[in-house]
Amino acid sequence: MYNKTIKELAQGLRSGEYSSVELTRHFLARIKQYQHLNAYITVTEERAVRAAEAADARIADGDATLLTGIPIAQKDIFCTLGVKTSCGSKMLDNFIAPYNATVVEKLDQAGAVMLGKLNMDEFAMGSSNENSYYGAVKNPWNTDAVPGGSSGGSAVAVAAGLAVCATGTDTGGSIRQPAAFCGITGLKPTYGRVSRYGMIAYASSLDQGGPMARSAEDAAVLLQVMAGFDDKDSTSVEYPVPDYSAELNKPLAGLKIGLPTEFFGDGLSANIAADLDNARNEYRRLGAEIIELSMPTLKLAIPAYYVIASAECSSNLSRFDGVRYGYRCANPADLTDLYIRSRGEAFGKEVKRRILMGTYALSAGYYDAYYLKAQKIRRLISDDFKSALSKVDVIMSPVTPTNAFGIGEKTADPIQMYLEDLYTIAINLAGLPAMSIPAGFSADKNGSPAMPVGLQIIGNYFAEARLLNIAHQYQQITDWHTRIPDGFE
Ligand code: GLN
């Protein structure tokens, strides 16, 4: 049951083949069975069974949506009323959210059954899911490898069949990179498409929530509910939400695909380059035309991002001071001691590193040299995309430079870790939508196991329906997205 599409499951629920309570219990049992993957921080069993009972009643009444009764899971960055919302941090280990994020509210109202809250890098900072206070998450394709981050729990839950689909968030690649490492489909929407209300902030001008699912078809169903204007989020955009499933079957003849040469050069593993060559040929067979492009500012994305994201995080995370929010140290001597020890004891190493970098970049003497310069580069990168997207319909690239790497392999070297986001970060700086879809399966080192490879498809602002169409057409002629890791059948 766990590897059916949302539409198939919705059909099974309506025909009475199984109830939502049965489906939910099936997933809850799998979560227990595969607990060693560490995908969940909190399993909300009782809440899930109650939601499933309500969904069954709603289906019987004929008032159901496609998601009614479907077991899903939320990244632990989304506030859930009455449920622990930790953001992967000791700082919020005891935080019970007093309200629902808009995304949670919408999915609840659609009748989706939340199974629990998914593991993630602390405050969404990371590319391997090794920065969680709750421990590293394991990749079901090879449990010695990382699942990617920061939405690693979400990617693993979907890949291992511990939820039908899941929510993720993406500030610099956190939906797409773990989707690529785990062989699933992820979509980072246009900035402003999905409400950030109740989504704990990392870097507010870059953060965006989106769907993670087994296929583009399922991602379309999930995005349909997540997307839309929200007057509780001042950066949410008032722009009509199209029917994301309506254009899935549109033929691709005449589609112009741009390939930035900068994204296929040094640094890309040979196996990924070869898999993406094959993907490009499949697209040719579907009628697309491939056009090479040059986007010279892409190489500036990582340094600009790490200045901007760190600057915003140092400001966003100042609220976790042991008074307004978060963990409080025992027996503080005075107020300064309370601040210092509460933050010192409850933030992890990577979060502290980012706060320090961000505070430095924003300080009076350095603001112009770092922050202002990074913002100027951000504009150049947006302009580069604008000019590229005036020549082609979409841009394709790798998602990651390498396959999923070993747990512990890159933790000692933050720069190596930051380079994992080489191909995803520029898209967030420009605010564009992009998807990661499974496009191969190969080993990048002699003797290491074959692992999933992702293809990135980048579109113009609000072109999510087009991206889903382009992904779905590929998934009609390939089977990468249907593969299941050994032992998880
Ligand atoms: N790996 C990037 C970072 O650590 C992106 C994380 C994300 O998208 N949340 O900032």
Side-chain angles (χ1 to χ4, degrees), residues 75 124-127 149-150 169-175 202 305-306 309 354 418 421 425 428:
K75 184 174 181 180
M125 297 173 200
S127 310
S150 66
T169 65
D170 192 311
T171 304
S174 281
I175 287 178
Y202 160 16
Y305 169 88
Y306 276 96
R354 306 278 177 107
Y418 297 170
D421 305 314
I425 263 174
N428 299 70

Side-chain angles (χ1 to χ4, degrees), residues 16-99:
E17 202 180 317
Y18 34 79
S19 67
S20 172
V21 171
E22 280 165 347
L23 196 58
T24 300
R25 290 201 193 281
H26 174 76
F27 276 92
L28 289 168
R30 285 183 67 88
I31 295 171
K32 278 209 185 88
Q33 185 184 352
Y34 298 114
Q35 219 163 7
H36 63 284
L37 296 175
N38 204 20
Y40 281 79
I41 291 175
T42 307
V43 180
T44 50
E45 183 160 349
E46 263 178 51
R47 187 189 190 275
V49 174
R50 262 186 284 124
E53 285 165 357
D56 282 331
R58 204 167 145 181
I59 292 165
D61 284 349
D63 147 48
T65 76
L66 263 183
L67 275 176
T68 305
I70 304 292
I72 67 154
Q74 297 279 2
K75 184 174 181 180
D76 207 19
I77 198 167
F78 289 101
C79 287
T80 31
L81 174 68
V83 175
K84 170 165 138 175
T85 301
S86 74
C87 218
S89 182
K90 178 176 180 183
M91 185 54 91
L92 291 175
D93 182 48
N94 62 3
F95 176 59
I96 308 289
Y99 66 99

Side-chain angles (χ1 to χ4, degrees), residues 43-209:
V43 180
T44 50
E45 183 160 349
E46 263 178 51
R47 187 189 190 275
V49 174
R50 262 186 284 124
E53 285 165 357
D56 282 331
R58 204 167 145 181
I59 292 165
D61 284 349
D63 147 48
T65 76
L66 263 183
L67 275 176
T68 305
I70 304 292
I72 67 154
Q74 297 279 2
K75 184 174 181 180
D76 207 19
I77 198 167
F78 289 101
C79 287
T80 31
L81 174 68
V83 175
K84 170 165 138 175
T85 301
S86 74
C87 218
S89 182
K90 178 176 180 183
M91 185 54 91
L92 291 175
D93 182 48
N94 62 3
F95 176 59
I96 308 289
Y99 66 99
N100 276 330
T102 297
V103 162
V104 172
E105 193 62 38
K106 284 182 162 200
L107 285 164
D108 277 0
Q109 273 172 18
V113 173
M114 182 183 87
L115 297 165
K117 306 293 297 290
L118 296 163
N119 208 339
M120 57 180 284
D121 279 307
E122 183 175 10
F123 286 102
M125 297 173 200
S127 310
S128 65
N129 220 129
E130 292 167 289
N131 296 338
S132 168
Y133 173 59
Y134 303 93
V137 179
K138 294 179 176 155
N139 191 317
W141 294 97
N142 168 12
T143 49
D144 292 329
V146 302
S150 66
S151 311
S154 309
V156 170
V158 176
L162 313 182
V164 176
C165 56
T167 56
T169 65
D170 192 311
T171 304
S174 281
I175 287 178
R176 292 159 285 157
Q177 190 249 20
F181 278 2
C182 294
I184 68 155
T185 301
L187 192 161
K188 174 238 171 281
T190 307
Y191 183 78
R193 180 73 297 184
V194 170
S195 169
R196 291 186 301 109
Y197 179 75
M199 189 178 108
I200 297 171
Y202 160 16
S204 312
S205 76
L206 301 159
D207 299 340
Q208 187 59 203

Side-chain angles (χ1 to χ4, degrees), residues 258-396:
L259 297 183
T261 44
E262 287 80 0
F263 273 3
F264 290 88
D266 280 353
L268 179 63
S269 283
N271 71 304
I272 297 185
D275 284 344
L276 298 189
D277 249 6
N278 293 334
R280 181 184 329 186
N281 289 334
E282 298 290 1
Y283 273 106
R284 279 208 185 93
R285 284 214 290 140
L286 288 167
E289 182 190 346
I290 312 279
I291 297 162
E292 286 206 356
L293 298 168
S294 174
M295 298 182 66
T297 63
L298 290 178
K299 60 176 181 297
L300 304 174
I302 291 199
Y305 169 88
Y306 276 96
V307 170
I308 294 170
S310 301
E312 292 186 21
C313 105
S314 75
S315 161
N316 273 326
L317 269 57
S318 66
R319 71 185 60 141
F320 303 105
D321 58 7
V323 179
R324 289 172 295 171
Y325 289 97
Y327 169 91
R328 179 178 294 184
C329 67
N331 310 316
D334 54 29
L335 189 60
T336 308
D337 185 46
L338 180 144
Y339 287 151
I340 292 174
R341 280 206 292 123
S342 298
R343 288 167 68 82
E345 289 166 20
F347 282 139
K349 212 164 115 191
E350 185 59 29
V351 171
K352 285 180 188 161
R353 180 170 15 241
R354 306 278 177 107
I355 293 175
L356 287 174
M357 287 197 296
T359 308
Y360 181 82
L362 287 177
S363 58
Y366 297 105
Y367 182 93
D368 288 358
Y370 297 109
Y371 186 72
L372 199 64
K373 189 154 252 154
Q375 291 289 18
K376 288 182 178 167
I377 291 172
R378 183 175 193 175
R379 168 56 63 88
L380 294 178
I381 290 171
S382 296
D383 288 349
D384 222 356
F385 274 109
K386 203 167 161 190
S387 124
L389 288 167
S390 69
K391 298 182 201 113
V392 295
D393 300 305
V394 289
I395 296 169
M396 285 189 187

